[in-house]
Short mmCIF file of all heavy atoms in Angstrom, two decimals:
data_model
loop_
_atom_site.label_atom_id
_atom_site.label_comp_id
_atom_site.label_asym_id
_atom_site.label_seq_id
_atom_site.Cartn_x
_atom_site.Cartn_y
_atom_site.Cartn_z
N LEU A 3 0.78 5.39 0.90
CA LEU A 3 0.07 6.46 1.59
C LEU A 3 0.62 7.80 1.13
O LEU A 3 1.83 8.06 1.23
CB LEU A 3 0.23 6.33 3.11
CG LEU A 3 -0.44 7.43 3.95
CD1 LEU A 3 -1.95 7.40 3.77
CD2 LEU A 3 -0.05 7.29 5.43
N ILE A 4 -0.26 8.64 0.59
CA ILE A 4 0.11 10.00 0.20
C ILE A 4 -0.46 10.94 1.25
O ILE A 4 -1.68 10.96 1.48
CB ILE A 4 -0.44 10.35 -1.20
CG1 ILE A 4 -0.05 9.27 -2.21
CG2 ILE A 4 0.07 11.70 -1.67
CD1 ILE A 4 -0.78 9.37 -3.54
N LYS A 5 0.38 11.71 1.92
CA LYS A 5 -0.05 12.48 3.09
C LYS A 5 0.51 13.90 3.07
O LYS A 5 1.31 14.26 2.20
CB LYS A 5 0.41 11.77 4.37
CG LYS A 5 1.92 11.54 4.44
CD LYS A 5 2.32 10.77 5.69
CE LYS A 5 2.25 11.65 6.92
NZ LYS A 5 2.85 10.97 8.10
N ASN A 6 0.03 14.68 4.06
CA ASN A 6 0.57 16.02 4.30
C ASN A 6 0.35 16.96 3.12
O ASN A 6 1.26 17.65 2.67
CB ASN A 6 2.07 15.95 4.66
CG ASN A 6 2.60 17.29 5.17
OD1 ASN A 6 1.83 18.12 5.67
ND2 ASN A 6 3.90 17.49 5.03
N GLY A 7 -0.88 16.97 2.59
CA GLY A 7 -1.20 17.87 1.50
C GLY A 7 -2.67 18.26 1.52
O GLY A 7 -3.48 17.66 2.24
N THR A 8 -3.01 19.26 0.74
CA THR A 8 -4.40 19.62 0.54
C THR A 8 -4.97 18.72 -0.56
O THR A 8 -4.47 18.71 -1.69
CB THR A 8 -4.53 21.10 0.12
OG1 THR A 8 -4.02 21.94 1.17
CG2 THR A 8 -5.99 21.47 -0.15
N VAL A 9 -6.00 17.96 -0.21
CA VAL A 9 -6.57 17.00 -1.15
C VAL A 9 -7.73 17.65 -1.90
O VAL A 9 -8.75 18.01 -1.30
CB VAL A 9 -7.05 15.73 -0.44
CG1 VAL A 9 -7.62 14.73 -1.45
CG2 VAL A 9 -5.90 15.09 0.35
N VAL A 16 -12.71 19.59 -0.35
CA VAL A 16 -11.30 19.97 -0.29
C VAL A 16 -10.86 19.69 1.14
O VAL A 16 -11.42 20.22 2.10
CB VAL A 16 -11.09 21.46 -0.63
CG1 VAL A 16 -9.62 21.85 -0.44
CG2 VAL A 16 -11.52 21.75 -2.07
N ILE A 17 -9.86 18.81 1.29
CA ILE A 17 -9.45 18.35 2.62
C ILE A 17 -8.08 18.91 2.95
O ILE A 17 -7.07 18.54 2.36
CB ILE A 17 -9.42 16.81 2.68
CG1 ILE A 17 -10.75 16.23 2.21
CG2 ILE A 17 -9.08 16.35 4.09
CD1 ILE A 17 -10.70 14.73 1.95
N GLU A 18 -8.05 19.86 3.89
CA GLU A 18 -6.78 20.39 4.36
C GLU A 18 -6.07 19.32 5.19
O GLU A 18 -6.69 18.61 5.97
CB GLU A 18 -7.00 21.64 5.22
CG GLU A 18 -7.77 22.76 4.52
CD GLU A 18 -6.96 23.46 3.45
OE1 GLU A 18 -5.71 23.30 3.44
OE2 GLU A 18 -7.57 24.17 2.61
N ASN A 19 -4.77 19.21 5.00
CA ASN A 19 -3.98 18.22 5.74
C ASN A 19 -4.62 16.83 5.62
O ASN A 19 -4.85 16.14 6.60
CB ASN A 19 -3.84 18.61 7.21
CG ASN A 19 -2.71 17.84 7.88
OD1 ASN A 19 -1.72 17.49 7.26
ND2 ASN A 19 -2.88 17.55 9.17
N GLY A 20 -4.90 16.44 4.37
CA GLY A 20 -5.53 15.16 4.12
C GLY A 20 -4.56 14.12 3.61
O GLY A 20 -3.35 14.37 3.47
N CYS A 21 -5.08 12.94 3.33
CA CYS A 21 -4.25 11.87 2.79
C CYS A 21 -5.07 10.96 1.89
O CYS A 21 -6.30 10.94 1.95
CB CYS A 21 -3.58 11.07 3.91
SG CYS A 21 -4.70 10.05 4.89
N VAL A 22 -4.36 10.20 1.07
CA VAL A 22 -4.98 9.22 0.18
C VAL A 22 -4.22 7.91 0.33
O VAL A 22 -2.98 7.89 0.25
CB VAL A 22 -4.94 9.69 -1.29
CG1 VAL A 22 -5.59 8.64 -2.20
CG2 VAL A 22 -5.63 11.04 -1.46
N TYR A 31 -8.71 4.84 0.58
CA TYR A 31 -9.16 5.81 1.59
C TYR A 31 -8.83 7.22 1.10
O TYR A 31 -7.76 7.46 0.52
CB TYR A 31 -8.45 5.56 2.93
CG TYR A 31 -8.70 6.63 3.96
CD1 TYR A 31 -9.82 6.60 4.79
CD2 TYR A 31 -7.80 7.69 4.13
CE1 TYR A 31 -10.04 7.58 5.74
CE2 TYR A 31 -8.02 8.69 5.08
CZ TYR A 31 -9.14 8.62 5.89
OH TYR A 31 -9.36 9.60 6.82
N VAL A 32 -9.75 8.15 1.34
CA VAL A 32 -9.53 9.58 1.11
C VAL A 32 -10.13 10.31 2.29
O VAL A 32 -11.32 10.14 2.60
CB VAL A 32 -10.21 10.07 -0.19
CG1 VAL A 32 -9.93 11.55 -0.41
CG2 VAL A 32 -9.77 9.26 -1.40
N GLY A 33 -9.32 11.12 2.97
CA GLY A 33 -9.87 11.84 4.10
C GLY A 33 -8.82 12.53 4.94
O GLY A 33 -7.70 12.81 4.47
N GLU A 34 -9.21 12.80 6.20
CA GLU A 34 -8.28 13.44 7.13
C GLU A 34 -7.08 12.51 7.37
O GLU A 34 -7.20 11.29 7.32
CB GLU A 34 -8.97 13.74 8.46
CG GLU A 34 -10.25 14.58 8.33
CD GLU A 34 -9.99 15.96 7.78
OE1 GLU A 34 -8.89 16.49 8.01
OE2 GLU A 34 -10.89 16.52 7.11
N GLU A 35 -5.96 13.12 7.65
CA GLU A 35 -4.73 12.34 7.80
C GLU A 35 -4.80 11.44 9.02
O GLU A 35 -5.23 11.84 10.11
CB GLU A 35 -3.52 13.28 7.90
CG GLU A 35 -2.20 12.56 7.79
CD GLU A 35 -1.06 13.51 7.44
OE1 GLU A 35 -1.19 14.27 6.48
OE2 GLU A 35 -0.06 13.45 8.16
N LYS A 36 -4.39 10.18 8.82
CA LYS A 36 -4.28 9.24 9.92
C LYS A 36 -3.31 8.15 9.54
O LYS A 36 -2.85 8.07 8.40
CB LYS A 36 -5.65 8.66 10.28
CG LYS A 36 -6.30 7.81 9.18
CD LYS A 36 -7.64 7.27 9.69
CE LYS A 36 -8.28 6.33 8.69
NZ LYS A 36 -9.56 5.75 9.20
N ILE A 45 4.41 8.77 0.67
CA ILE A 45 4.75 9.92 -0.16
C ILE A 45 4.32 11.18 0.59
O ILE A 45 3.15 11.34 0.93
CB ILE A 45 4.04 9.85 -1.52
CG1 ILE A 45 4.61 8.69 -2.34
CG2 ILE A 45 4.19 11.17 -2.29
CD1 ILE A 45 3.88 8.45 -3.66
N ALA A 47 3.58 14.93 0.63
CA ALA A 47 3.24 16.04 -0.28
C ALA A 47 3.86 17.35 0.17
O ALA A 47 3.83 18.34 -0.58
CB ALA A 47 1.73 16.18 -0.39
N GLY A 50 1.89 20.49 -0.20
CA GLY A 50 1.41 20.80 -1.55
C GLY A 50 0.00 20.32 -1.78
O GLY A 50 -0.83 20.28 -0.84
N ILE A 52 -2.76 17.42 -3.58
CA ILE A 52 -3.01 16.05 -4.06
C ILE A 52 -4.31 16.08 -4.84
O ILE A 52 -5.34 16.53 -4.32
CB ILE A 52 -3.11 15.07 -2.88
CG1 ILE A 52 -1.88 15.17 -1.97
CG2 ILE A 52 -3.30 13.65 -3.38
CD1 ILE A 52 -2.06 14.50 -0.61
#
Side-chain angles (χ1 to χ4, degrees):
L3 178 64
I4 308 168
K5 57 183 286 189
N6 191 24
T8 298
V9 181
V16 175
I17 307 167
E18 303 288 344
N19 197 32
C21 70
V22 180
Y31 171 86
V32 181
E34 305 297 330
E35 191 162 309
K36 64 179 185 178
I45 292 175
I52 306 166

